[in-house]
Amino acid sequence: MSLLLLSRRDLNFLLYEWLDATALTSRTRYAQHDRETFDAVLDTAEKIATDIFAPHNRKSDLNEPHFDGINVTMIAEIKSAIDAFNQAGLVSAAQDESFGGMQLPTVIDKAMMAYFMAANCATAAYPFLTMGNANLILTHGCQAQIDMFVKPMMAGRFFGTMCLSEPQAGSSLSDIKTRAEKDGENYRLFGNKMWISGGEHSLSENIIHLVLARLPDAPAGVKGISLFIVPKFLVNDDTSIGERNDVVLAGLNHKMGYRGTTNCLLNFGEGKHTPHNKAGAIGYLVGKPHQGLACMFHMMNEARIGVGLGATMLGYTGYLHSLDYAKNRPQGRAPLNKDPQSAQIPIIEHADVRRMLLAQKSYVEGALALNLYCAKLVDDEKTAADVTTKKQATLLLDILTPIAKSWPSQWCLRANDLAIQVYGGYGYTRDFPVEQFYRDNRLNAIHEGTHGIQALDLLGRKVVMEEGAALKLLALKMAETIQAAICSTDLATKKYAKQLADTVTRLLATTKTMWSVNDANRTLANATMYLEAFGHTVMAWIWLSQLLAGEKAIDNNMTEDERHFYLGKRQACRYFFLTELPTVNAMLDLCEAGDTTTIDTKAEWL
């Protein structure tokens, strides 16, 4: 089963041959580690994901959590899997040793999580959210909040959520109405939060909600939002569970995928529970008043990259399943073989099936490389020895986060679509897992900001911030890869370098043109097309960089299987440059022209 979750050979290539993750062990924080300890963590993750998470993936999809008005019930296997995850110490793997953590590099931590996201994304969502919640409080919370809430989370006793959206506001956070009123040293919260993953369950002793709300004196808009810790149960000084807080489940949302994850409408301060005999959910302010959204973005950006990784792994496991099916499913004959009495051939021998598999490979292996590259940037941001490297890592993360979230959410979903097609009619049935992978993955294009929101963030903020500093740095990094490829002895690699160089030049020129019209409405009307063009350009860079790493490794003395691996990387790169990258020019044509079709369209015409 593990062979159908994630290619360990590919993971090893990305971590050790391409990103050189072992070089991180020269830094003080990671000095106790080496390749052996990294591999041991990945081995553990692979085993738990394969043996405990994957077996109930279908069962949790068919038996989603149920709310009877009082309690939420779910299949027992979910808690067993979460307990195994916690007992292995994986929830705190990247944290300080003082929290019981292993101080793993982020890039290894995310590689470890990739197994769980591929095996069972719905069950993996619970620790995923908890880890993000804890990281936010560690960054923006006070020591008392860290002691009271983070340490129990790191021990696996408490789980966490993020509570942003509201029924009437959706993604428009400037319109949230949840309010917080001062009550002694703390606050009482009143309002409703919608689409809260992991918002109610009995998998842990407590659930720690991070809630956006407004104070009475808050200015309008997003600048008037504050952030609060609101636990399901109040916590005593010794972190034992105390009185029930005024947070209740109003109902479960039923989604087409991720069915094993509770998705909740939560009511705060409705009076069903009145801690200390007073209405309102007790909350603890995180950071300064009215600066809550800036704090929440710490978790949101981490979640966006994590959503991209989840989308990648659903596409990845779908690819491996369809590849396995194609190798073992006999059907049809070669085009020139007209003998109906001859044996049928495996469908992988058909050119169109290989096309679909090659497309999937280019999407999912490219996306995983991008996800892990971003994870290593987090390591550089936190632990690099020099200030310049840290600053560059921050800038690159800023501009790549919208891509790391949105590109896998679109194109690894496309991989799932192609996996179903490889299976044919069987792929559309519940007898095979690829239809569930597609349903699960469809959420990721919406989760943590739609494509449109990511596009507005990229074009409206990231490419122009600090006078284009992040875009200029990314272009410089691409230029370094292009120059290395130009120096290659391989003619195809040189050709790809020239193609990417032309695309980057065009992208930079188009960016300048789009903002030169001095009409933000017109510029941003084509933001999503720009996002897609930008994402394809980034992915071509990622593939060219992988190709160069493969060229360094391949030689005539390696085994046939090893040679096939590197040639497979080369062929996926070839496919992307010949089939996908050329589409960028058409996208940029529309962006550069400042097309106003969407602006000109009247609602009555639709």
Side-chain angles (χ1 to χ4, degrees):
M1 179 64 194
S2 64
L3 298 176
L4 300 181
L5 298 181
L6 170 61
S7 165
R8 184 62 175 269
R9 181 63 188 89
D10 185 31
L11 191 60
N12 287 342
F13 168 79
L14 295 175
L15 290 175
Y16 304 126
E17 298 177 53
W18 184 55
L19 293 174
D20 191 18
T22 52
L24 292 170
T25 60
S26 65
R27 300 177 183 177
T28 302
R29 180 173 178 81
Y30 309 130
Q32 74 273 34
H33 291 297
D34 53 23
R35 170 74 182 267
E36 185 177 355
T37 63
F38 291 165
D39 284 345
V41 170
L42 296 176
D43 289 343
T44 299
E46 182 177 6
K47 181 171 178 55
I48 296 174
T50 302
D51 295 348
I52 306 177
F53 274 65
H56 72 274
N57 188 43
R58 171 62 78 185
K59 185 176 180 180
S60 64
D61 180 68
L62 297 176
N63 300 273
E64 59 186 308
H66 173 71
F67 179 47
D68 61 8
I70 301 175
N71 298 308
V72 171
T73 58
M74 60 181 69
I75 61 171
E77 289 88 340
I78 294 176
K79 181 166 174 50
S80 297
I82 295 299
D83 288 346
F85 188 95
N86 289 333
Q87 289 163 9
L90 299 181
V91 72
S92 60
Q95 301 296 341
D96 294 350
E97 291 178 344
S98 60
F99 289 113
M102 306 178 201
Q103 294 187 188
L104 280 178
T106 302
V107 69
I108 301 299
D109 186 52
K110 298 310 176 189
M112 173 271 291
M113 280 300 297
Y115 276 108
F116 296 99
M117 290 172 165
N120 192 320
C121 63
T123 296
Y126 296 103
F128 167 72
L129 288 163
T130 301
M131 294 154 78
N133 183 302
N135 285 334
L136 185 151
I137 299 174
L138 281 170
T139 303
H140 298 286
C142 65
Q143 188 60 49
Q145 291 169 344
I146 292 171
D147 292 340
M148 185 171 290
F149 302 113
V150 174
K151 289 184 177 180
M153 280 195 271
M154 292 298 95
R157 294 175 50 212
F158 296 180
F159 280 14
T161 75
M162 53 193 302
C163 300
L164 291 79
S165 299
E166 296 179 8
Q168 83 291 341
S171 298
S172 181
L173 296 180
S174 62
D175 295 313
I176 66 170
K177 295 180 179 179
T178 298
R179 69 185 194 277
E181 299 177 359
K182 196 80 169 74
D183 182 34
E185 295 182 358
N186 300 310
Y187 296 82
R188 297 272 178 167
L189 274 73
F190 303 84
N192 317 99
K193 292 294 180 179
M194 175 62 98
W195 312 119
I196 309 308
S197 296
E200 179 58 43
H201 54 72
S202 57
L203 299 171
S204 59
E205 295 177 33
N206 205 354
I207 303 174
I208 309 305
H209 304 290
L210 286 172
V211 184
L212 294 180
R214 293 185 181 281
L215 295 171
D217 62 344
V222 295
K223 294 182 179 180
I225 296 175
S226 299
L227 178 62
F228 301 87
I229 297 170
V230 184
K232 176 181 176 180
F233 292 95
L234 301 183
V235 180
N236 298 319
D237 290 342
D238 62 356
T239 73
S240 62
I241 298 303
E243 189 178 359
R244 176 68 190 260
N245 207 357
D246 199 2
V247 184
V248 298
L249 175 65
L252 294 177
N253 300 303
H254 300 280
K255 296 188 174 183
M256 65 182 285
Y258 273 78
R259 291 179 175 175
T261 307
T262 56
N263 191 271
C264 310
L265 171 60
L266 296 178
N267 292 343
F268 295 82
E270 71 170 15
K272 187 171 183 179
H273 303 281
T274 54
H276 307 330
N277 298 313
K278 188 175 180 180
I282 293 179
Y284 310 91
L285 181 68
V286 179
K288 296 181 180 179
H290 316 316
Q291 296 184 17
L293 192 56
C295 296
M296 183 61 90
F297 261 110
H298 184 98
M299 184 174 183
M300 288 170 65
N301 285 331
E302 181 177 341
R304 285 174 173 176
I305 295 174
V307 166
L309 179 60
T312 296
M313 296 319 302
L314 283 166
Y316 206 124
T317 188
Y319 160 61
L320 294 179
H321 276 82
S322 65
L323 175 62
D324 181 69
Y325 183 83
K327 288 179 178 179
N328 293 288
R329 165 67 171 172
Q331 184 176 312
R333 296 165 184 83
L336 297 180
N337 182 6
K338 305 299 183 182
D339 181 7
Q341 300 300 317
S342 62
Q344 296 189 80
I345 59 176
I347 63 172
I348 199 170
E349 297 300 327
H350 298 299
D352 194 57
V353 173
R354 288 200 295 272
R355 173 190 64 82
M356 292 187 284
L357 292 169
L358 195 54
Q360 291 181 69
K361 181 180 177 72
S362 75
Y363 301 152
V364 304
E365 291 186 7
L368 181 58
L370 174 62
N371 295 143
L372 294 178
Y373 177 79
C374 288
K376 185 158 184 295
L377 287 176
V378 175
D379 287 317
D380 289 340
E381 185 180 39
K382 292 179 177 179
T383 66
D386 62 287
V387 175
T388 299
T389 300
K390 289 185 175 183
K391 172 65 173 176
Q392 289 187 347
T394 299
L395 284 172
L396 289 171
L397 275 171
D398 281 341
I399 200 166
L400 288 176
T401 293
I403 305 301
K405 188 276 176 186
S406 63
W407 199 93
S409 298
Q410 179 176 355
W411 292 96
C412 294
L413 178 68
R414 173 60 175 153
N416 290 133
D417 179 83
L418 290 170
I420 292 173
Q421 194 72 14
V422 169
Y423 274 80
Y426 289 113
Y428 192 63
T429 70
R430 293 186 181 181
D431 298 314
F432 293 90
V434 287
E435 65 86 25
Q436 183 186 339
F437 297 153
Y438 183 93
R439 286 189 290 104
D440 284 339
N441 213 353
R442 184 60 185 85
L443 171 63
N444 289 312
I446 302 171
H447 230 168
E448 299 308 323
T450 62
H451 289 324
I453 289 173
Q454 304 303 324
L456 292 174
D457 182 43
L458 176 67
L459 182 58
R461 294 179 61 244
K462 300 300 177 59
V463 301
V464 295
M465 67 181 189
E466 298 182 34
E467 299 182 343
L471 180 59
K472 292 174 185 176
L473 177 60
L474 179 61
L476 177 63
K477 294 296 182 183
M478 289 180 175
E480 291 172 355
T481 302
I482 289 167
Q483 185 57 44
I486 289 173
C487 295
S488 170
T489 58
D490 183 78
L491 293 179
T493 303
K494 292 176 178 289
K495 179 182 176 181
Y496 302 151
K498 176 63 166 59
Q499 185 182 356
L500 180 57
D502 291 344
T503 304
V504 173
T505 299
R506 178 86 194 279
L507 179 67
L508 295 174
T510 299
T511 306
K512 185 176 181 180
T513 299
M514 292 179 78
W515 277 113
S516 68
V517 298
N518 295 318
D519 182 349
N521 285 334
R522 184 175 175 184
T523 297
L524 297 176
N526 295 304
T528 299
M529 186 66 71
Y530 178 85
L531 173 78
E532 188 164 337
F534 199 108
H536 262 44
T537 305
V538 167
M539 195 51 58
W541 167 55
I542 291 292
W543 266 115
L544 186 60
S545 183
Q546 287 189 78
L547 178 63
L548 292 173
E551 285 184 354
K552 291 180 181 179
I554 196 167
D555 62 55
N556 293 325
N557 296 321
M558 62 178 46
T559 65
E560 186 176 6
D561 285 345
E562 279 291 281
R563 188 170 182 82
H564 285 325
F565 172 81
Y566 292 109
L567 292 177
K569 283 286 183 186
R570 169 173 289 278
Q571 200 72 351
C573 180
R574 175 185 177 185
Y575 175 89
F576 197 87
F577 271 82
L578 295 182
T579 305
E580 296 293 345
L581 189 58
T583 65
V584 170
N585 278 325
M587 300 178 207
L588 293 180
D589 284 344
L590 186 144
C591 293
E592 198 168 47
D595 180 68
T596 61
T597 299
T598 54
I599 296 175
D600 298 339
T601 301
K602 297 183 183 298
E604 293 79 8
W605 299 350
L606 298 172

